[in-house]
Amino acid sequence: MSKGFTPSPATPAVITANDLRQGHCVWMRDGGWTDDPREAQLFEDEAIAELALLEAMAQGTLVVGPYLAEARRGPDGRPEPAHFREAFRRRGPSNYFHGKQADLGSSEFEANNV
Amino acid sequence: MFDARPQHNEYLRHRAQQFRSQVERRLNGSLTEDEFRPLRLMNGVYLQLHAYMLRVAIPYGTISPDQMRTLALLAEKWDKGYGHWTTRQNIQFNWPKLIDIPDMLDALAEVGLHAIQTSGNTIRNVTTDAYAGAAADEVADPRPYGELIRQWSTDHAEYQFLPRKFKIAITGSEKDRAVIAAHDIGLRLRRDDQGAIGYQVWIGGGLGRTPMLGQVVREFLPEADLLPYLEAIIAVYNLSGRRDNKYKARLKITVAERGLEVMRQEIEAEFLNRRAAFTGVDQDYLAALKGLFAAPAFREADEGDYSARRADHPAFRSWTDTNLAAHKAPGYVSVKVTFKAPGQTPGDASAEQMRLLADLAERYGHSDLRISHDQNVVLPHVHKSDLFALYQELRGAGLATANAGLISDIVACPGMDYCALATARSIPIAQEIADHFRARDLEEDIGRIDIRISGCINACGHHHLGHIGILGLDRAGVENYQITLGGDGYDIPAIGQRPGAGFPAEEVVGAIDRIIDTYLELRESPEERFIDAYRRVGVAPFKAALYAADA
Ligand code: HEM
Ligand code: SF4
């Protein structure tokens, strides 16, 4: 499981949570939240990540259950999920074209992230 | 048909209003998530992978056409156009927004539906036979008892903080179609030598991490003693159930640790105390409920062109061969509408399909609909003369798949596609298996077989009870599937056994294929079902076929 993960330069992480009002997956970027997993901030330093996580946890009227999830730096430098659970959270279910894959919708997103 | 609305609407509206105010307080920060979570769970609201999930109870699986239309409305207006039937006769909506859920609960309340006690450590939806009130072999209709239990247990102060969730199932026939052995309490309606109704009482069944079959704690409990006896069981559990470890908190563990005899003595002692407090009002009420569940006015008519149509239309004939069940009234049958068409997510129903079923139930089915625990829908009372017309309308909506009880009628939980607790996916595995055997054109030849898939050890897909069970696991970041064989929820309750190591996702279909080929080779006749052949020969040939390369 990706929860409780310790980031390092070799194994970077993103901070992710669910949006309180809508329930959908969100990722931390510059202390705020983005719906687009490609825009997430990558953490490679444990201390910085821990601080950011504390900041995320203080935003309890915006998000639910923030945690550090292992990620990889993709070919374009953007984060990619390291575990299939995070791949589903990032994309949406595999039985319908629903969720992030439909919301963000580009074929590029599909091709890069399955 | 029974209609709970007059008694309940006011209460349900009140509960929805209460939840609306809790949501408001969560959003403005006066409730933290830790404070809010138990409150939302009391109203059937989970937070899953991609969204909130709302679980709506369908009491003992019985639903009326207008209630069905309300489910369609919820799917369309606040979700993505569909809902998912579950193995506990509920429906789950996978995409609502928290801010919309109070409106959804209001809409449900208007037709007497709700999400109360569909989660949390309390008595969950009472489940029963989807053919209740219709089955030819029925001792008595189990639904009045289900309704009595529901009304007694809903919001009952003593049952809001049980050690763990608590599930009750009740079957009205000697043949169990409610899997009573896999519930905390299972009840089987029976008659004694004098013809009086009573119950065989089972306790301590449950699946999940430690699957166990229930045991009979009382061979015959007289009809009038139902509520005091249930109270006694739950009182004993409430006191002696483990609260130190949530994985050991189910009644099944308490029964296993303390022994059936100890439990029985304590239950009987408590029962004597409790019974004194029952004045008989519950029995008057039960009598009234029985009246409300009275059978519809069945038609006396001949079969019309039913036999001729069967002779002319092979597709209609095979649908009638698989999807019908014997009815107590002459000329009638019960129809199972499967939600397992090719490519379909098992148990998903679109808003249009729900509306069509509501219409068809009004036109051909005495306005009665049931959700079955194999994630299908039953029209319990259809006259044979209407079957062909019904079939054609179902076919037009992709709902006439002739596969009830066959290999593509797979039970699958949402798995990693939706569920926050999942360790692997279930839906695509179910779809691949169904597609594979359709492509091999073997479905009819294989005959009755029960495949069940769960995406984690919680066993929502009842995999332990599948003739072939599949459990999705995470092995070092890769989806892996453990196979179990020989489970049975119906005839002779049994928990499936593991023949050996699991398989990566891309090898599951091949593994199932080898199991099926082995069965086809060794069965004594086409009438010998997979489970019967398995019981006769044991695991060895299947194990050999599964792990041939390792030998
Ligand atoms: C996606 C949301 C769901 C969540 C979070 C969830 C959660 C759970 C959990 C935690 C358990 C284990 C409880 C225990 O053994 O103490 C469980 C068991 C179970 N759930 Fe679910 N479930 C979900 C969906 C479903 C669905 C879709 C079905 C039916 C298809 C279902 C039916 C069941 C059943 C039958 C059990 C076995 C209970 C037993 O006998 O021990 N659940 N669920
Ligand atoms: S079995 Fe596991 S994965 Fe499937 S619905 Fe239940 S909790 Fe989720």
Side-chain angles (χ1 to χ4, degrees):
Chain A
M1 276 296 293
S2 43
K3 295 198 180 193
F5 175 77
T6 309
S8 73
T11 56
V14 292
I15 292 176
T16 180
N18 287 78
D19 180 86
L20 171 65
R21 284 167 173 72
Q22 317 277 327
H24 63 207
C25 303
V26 289
W27 290 266
M28 202 174 205
R29 185 190 59 188
D30 304 331
W33 298 96
T34 171
D35 289 352
D36 187 344
R38 294 164 298 189
E39 299 299 328
Q41 182 177 349
L42 263 179
F43 294 92
E44 302 188 335
D45 181 289
E46 186 183 349
I48 294 174
E50 289 298 334
L51 268 180
L53 185 59
L54 283 175
E55 200 180 320
M57 292 193 313
Q59 301 185 25
T61 52
L62 293 178
V63 296
V64 184
Y67 63 95
L68 282 162
E70 186 179 354
R72 276 193 288 265
R73 198 177 280 285
D76 58 359
R78 292 169 158 199
E80 286 181 0
H83 188 278
F84 63 93
R85 180 180 195 271
E86 292 305 316
F88 287 116
R89 288 185 71 251
R90 200 183 139 103
R91 190 191 60 200
S94 62
N95 60 331
Y96 299 112
F97 189 67
H98 275 169
K100 292 289 173 199
Q101 56 197 330
D103 297 343
L104 301 173
S106 76
S107 54
E108 175 213 15
F109 182 71
E110 269 292 87
N112 285 339
N113 294 286
V114 174
Chain B
M1 194 199 116
F2 176 69
D3 190 337
R5 272 164 278 190
Q7 301 99 302
H8 293 298
N9 267 14
E10 211 43 51
Y11 167 70
L12 297 180
R13 273 194 217 109
H14 166 73
R15 280 287 300 245
Q17 181 51 41
Q18 195 179 44
F19 186 61
R20 184 180 295 279
S21 121
Q22 289 161 352
V23 170
E24 277 163 19
R25 281 179 285 150
R26 174 68 184 94
L27 296 179
N28 72 24
S30 32
L31 287 174
T32 65
E33 183 63 18
D34 282 350
E35 289 160 341
F36 178 63
R37 190 190 306 111
L39 301 175
R40 72 163 150 76
L41 289 175
M42 282 177 179
N43 291 284
V45 182
Y46 289 74
L47 182 54
Q48 294 296 308
L49 275 193
H50 315 292
Y52 288 92
M53 179 199 91
L54 177 65
R55 181 182 290 154
V56 176
I58 297 171
Y60 33 85
T62 295
I63 188 169
S64 67
D66 67 329
Q67 290 173 324
M68 185 68 112
R69 290 190 185 100
T70 295
L71 297 181
L73 174 78
L74 260 60
E76 211 165 61
K77 190 162 172 190
W78 294 292
D79 204 279
K80 292 189 188 291
Y82 62 98
H84 182 74
W85 310 123
T86 82
T87 47
R88 300 212 74 261
Q89 298 181 310
N90 295 318
I91 185 169
Q92 294 186 174
F93 293 101
N94 285 309
W95 298 95
K97 298 175 172 59
L98 180 62
I99 45 178
D100 290 335
I101 292 176
D103 291 343
M104 297 170 84
L105 296 181
D106 281 345
L108 290 170
E110 288 310 308
V111 291
L113 289 174
H114 62 83
I116 298 164
Q117 291 184 195
T118 59
S119 179
N121 296 334
T122 183
I123 297 181
R124 303 291 186 87
N125 191 27
V126 178
T127 55
T128 184
D129 180 3
Y131 300 109
D137 62 356
E138 187 169 87
V139 172
D141 186 343
R143 293 173 304 152
Y145 306 93
E147 178 62 18
L148 183 70
I149 294 170
R150 172 167 86 123
Q151 297 201 17
W152 153 81
S153 65
T154 300
D155 237 18
H156 190 311
E158 193 179 338
Y159 307 143
Q160 299 311 302
F161 297 96
L162 294 174
R164 199 72 179 86
K165 61 160 96 171
F166 201 88
K167 300 179 177 177
I168 303 176
I170 171 164
T171 180
S173 306
E174 206 44 45
K175 187 165 170 55
D176 178 12
R177 284 178 293 261
V179 285
I180 58 171
H183 285 77
D184 294 280
I185 298 180
L187 300 168
R188 188 200 302 271
L189 290 175
R190 286 205 154 150
R191 283 185 196 278
D192 67 9
D193 300 341
Q194 276 77 53
I197 289 185
Y199 325 82
Q200 185 186 48
V201 184
W202 297 55
I203 60 168
L207 302 175
R209 168 184 300 248
T210 319
M212 288 186 192
L213 295 176
Q215 304 177 62
V216 176
V217 65
R218 200 31 134 102
E219 274 298 341
F220 192 84
L221 178 75
E223 184 177 26
D225 290 336
L226 180 63
L227 294 186
Y229 200 80
L230 295 183
E231 284 201 358
I233 296 172
I234 301 169
V236 169
Y237 167 62
N238 218 348
L239 276 176
S240 59
R242 299 263 309 253
R243 290 175 188 265
D244 56 319
N245 177 340
K246 86 181 244 204
Y247 301 115
K248 296 193 171 169
R250 293 287 299 271
L251 176 61
K252 62 187 173 186
I253 305 287
T254 314
V255 173
E257 284 183 351
R258 307 184 70 227
L260 184 66
E261 272 320 307
V262 172
M263 294 297 283
R264 178 181 288 138
Q265 281 165 23
E266 291 185 9
I267 289 166
E268 292 290 338
E270 182 68 27
F271 167 58
L272 291 180
N273 286 334
R274 297 255 169 183
R275 188 165 56 176
F278 279 77
T279 57
V281 174
D282 57 315
Q283 290 309 297
D284 297 342
Y285 195 61
L286 177 62
L289 289 176
K290 284 183 185 172
L292 292 173
F293 282 98
F298 293 124
R299 234 165 49 221
E300 283 190 30
D302 63 31
E303 292 181 6
D305 60 1
Y306 173 63
S307 297
R309 294 291 190 183
R310 253 174 64 87
D312 297 348
H313 294 261
F316 176 59
R317 186 171 62 240
S318 53
W319 179 77
T320 57
D321 284 343
T322 47
N323 291 38
L324 304 186
H327 200 282
K328 58 169 77 161
Y332 275 81
V333 285
S334 297
V335 173
K336 185 171 276 185
V337 178
T338 73
F339 284 76
K340 317 289 176 75
Q344 185 170 18
T345 296
D348 274 7
S350 70
E352 299 79 51
Q353 289 173 331
M354 292 185 217
R355 286 206 182 94
L356 177 73
L357 281 175
D359 294 347
L360 296 178
E362 279 170 352
R363 219 167 324 143
Y364 304 116
H366 293 279
S367 294
D368 201 346
L369 292 153
R370 310 296 174 78
I371 310 308
S372 68
H373 65 85
D374 51 14
Q375 301 180 295
N376 294 316
V377 174
V378 167
L379 294 168
H381 316 294
V382 180
H383 195 270
K384 282 184 181 167
S385 60
D386 287 331
L387 272 176
F388 188 66
L390 171 67
Y391 167 77
Q392 284 183 308
E393 299 221 38
L394 288 172
R395 200 178 50 175
L399 285 174
T401 315
N403 67 343
L406 302 185
I407 199 166
S408 64
D409 186 6
I410 297 172
V411 172
C413 79
M416 185 69 91
D417 280 307
Y418 299 92
C419 180
L421 303 174
T423 43
R425 280 177 298 170
S426 338
I427 294 165
I429 299 291
Q431 290 170 327
E432 282 168 26
I433 294 170
D435 287 349
H436 175 78
F437 288 101
R438 281 187 178 116
R440 285 191 67 191
D441 200 16
L442 275 181
E443 185 153 37
E444 270 182 51
D445 189 17
I446 296 165
R448 307 240 148 220
I449 188 166
D450 203 343
I451 299 191
R452 296 165 173 258
I453 308 178
S454 305
C456 80
I457 54 167
N458 286 326
C460 302
H462 277 176
H463 64 275
H464 300 108
L465 302 179
H467 300 168
I468 301 175
I470 302 173
L471 165 62
L473 297 168
D474 177 342
R475 286 274 173 269
V478 177
E479 290 166 294
N480 189 277
Y481 295 86
Q482 178 71 62
I483 290 178
T484 54
L485 296 172
D488 190 353
Y490 302 112
D491 303 327
I492 309 169
I495 305 266
Q497 299 299 313
R498 257 167 52 180
F503 296 88
E506 57 284 3
E507 290 176 23
V508 176
V509 169
I512 306 298
D513 203 44
R514 295 201 291 287
I515 295 170
I516 294 299
D517 280 345
T518 305
Y519 155 68
L520 291 175
E521 241 160 68
L522 61 72
R523 70 181 175 188
E524 288 183 327
S525 76
E527 282 69 50
E528 191 184 35
R529 295 177 309 159
F530 173 85
I531 186 70
D532 300 324
Y534 178 85
R535 285 190 177 125
R536 178 170 56 80
V537 303
V539 71
F542 299 99
K543 197 167 169 169
L546 274 175
Y547 303 103
D550 303 347

